[in-house]
Amino acid sequence: NAGVTQTPKFQVLKTGQSMTLQCAQDMNHEYMSWYRQDPGMGLRLIHYSVGAGITDQGEVPNGYNVSRSTTEDFPLRLLSAAPSQTSVYFCASSYYVGGEAFFGQGTRLTVV
Amino acid sequence: TQLLEQSPQFLSIQEGENLTVYCNSSSVFSSLQWYRQEPGEGPVLLVTVVTGGEVKKLKRLTFQFGDARKDSSLHITAAQPGDTGLYLCAGSTLSTNAGKSTFGDGTTLTVKP
């Protein structure tokens, strides 16, 4: 089972560049979410989706966009990268909101 | 926003020692989960507790949910180097925050051989 697949695993961007982090799950989960993980700050919720066509903001949404056109895919877009967005990004899915979360392996992003 | 405080933040022990890490909040949770994260990987679920006072065991790991469902602990007996990692707790409440999970900042455990 693939579970949750994130690409790329590593990325370096220049300030101002845009990019999309990909996330796909094959478990037919309705709930998907994006987190960023910074040293000493745990996992902070960026955006989430409770099903195809439905997205909402988490704790730290500024500078990020999401869409959910299918149940399987939940891409995260950085509109204009800033050094403050240097972080490790995790995508997760679960059967329901607040349920067991299955995480991808993460994308380590550096903005220079 | 529900806050989950984990303690200690860092813990370094010798193989064979016992340890306990804590997850505390002023909020009442419908359920609470513990995850372990290894370097370069995403968190992996260890256990979910849902009933106040509940105790669950997973080999050498014992998880307890507080009677008031505001706190939880993880006790590891005879720690091994393979237990090394970041331990995260996450709580959710159906009545607030739309049921979304809130994560603590984690306890980084190092078990030396």
Side-chain angles (χ1 to χ4, degrees):
Chain A
N1 287 341
V4 179
T5 304
Q6 284 184 240
T7 56
K9 192 152 186 171
F10 300 94
Q11 183 70 51
V12 178
L13 288 179
K14 293 183 179 178
T15 297
Q17 285 186 316
S18 62
M19 78 159 295
T20 300
L21 308 185
Q22 300 293 342
C23 175
Q25 53 94 7
D26 62 358
M27 296 172 282
N28 204 32
H29 287 170
E30 291 295 330
Y31 184 69
M32 295 186 74
S33 51
W34 276 101
Y35 294 89
R36 58 178 291 172
Q37 187 175 38
D38 301 292
M41 298 189 76
L43 288 163
R44 292 184 292 169
L45 183 64
I46 304 171
H47 284 286
Y48 66 97
S49 169
V50 297
I54 307 169
T55 63
D56 206 345
Q57 297 180 349
E59 293 177 70
V60 288
N62 292 341
Y64 309 95
N65 272 356
V66 292
S67 60
R68 184 97 180 267
S69 56
T70 67
T71 299
E72 294 77 21
D73 300 300
F74 191 43
L76 177 72
R77 281 183 287 279
L78 279 71
L79 308 172
S80 176
S84 60
Q85 293 179 303
T86 293
S87 187
V88 181
Y89 291 84
F90 287 99
C91 177
S93 74
S94 58
Y95 282 111
Y96 56 90
V97 178
E100 173 187 357
F102 293 80
F103 285 85
Q105 287 198 309
T107 296
R108 185 173 294 274
L109 175 69
T110 302
V111 183
V112 297
Chain B
T1 304
Q2 306 157 91
L3 295 176
L4 275 169
E5 296 186 356
Q6 291 190 243
S7 61
Q9 188 177 1
F10 298 96
L11 188 55
S12 180
I13 61 171
Q14 293 294 135
E15 182 175 3
E17 292 183 357
N18 300 333
L19 68 115
T20 302
V21 298
Y22 300 92
C23 174
N24 295 301
S25 177
S26 57
S27 300
V28 176
F29 292 102
S30 303
S31 65
L32 192 140
Q33 296 155 345
W34 284 93
Y35 293 82
R36 181 169 67 209
Q37 183 179 17
E38 298 186 13
E41 302 289 331
V44 176
L45 182 74
L46 295 173
V47 77
T48 299
V49 287
V50 296
T51 305
E54 183 176 3
V55 176
K56 282 191 173 180
K57 293 192 175 184
L58 184 66
K59 298 183 180 178
R60 293 175 292 101
L61 279 61
T62 302
F63 304 85
Q64 185 160 9
F65 201 14
D67 290 340
R69 291 185 287 134
K70 293 182 178 182
D71 54 84
S72 182
S73 63
L74 158 60
H75 181 80
I76 302 179
T77 303
Q80 298 177 0
D83 296 326
T84 293
L86 175 67
Y87 288 81
L88 294 159
C89 64
S92 67
T93 304
L94 291 175
S95 59
T96 61
N97 205 25
K100 297 189 298 295
S101 291
T102 299
F103 281 83
D105 290 346
T107 292
T108 300
L109 172 64
T110 303
V111 182
K112 301 174 185 176

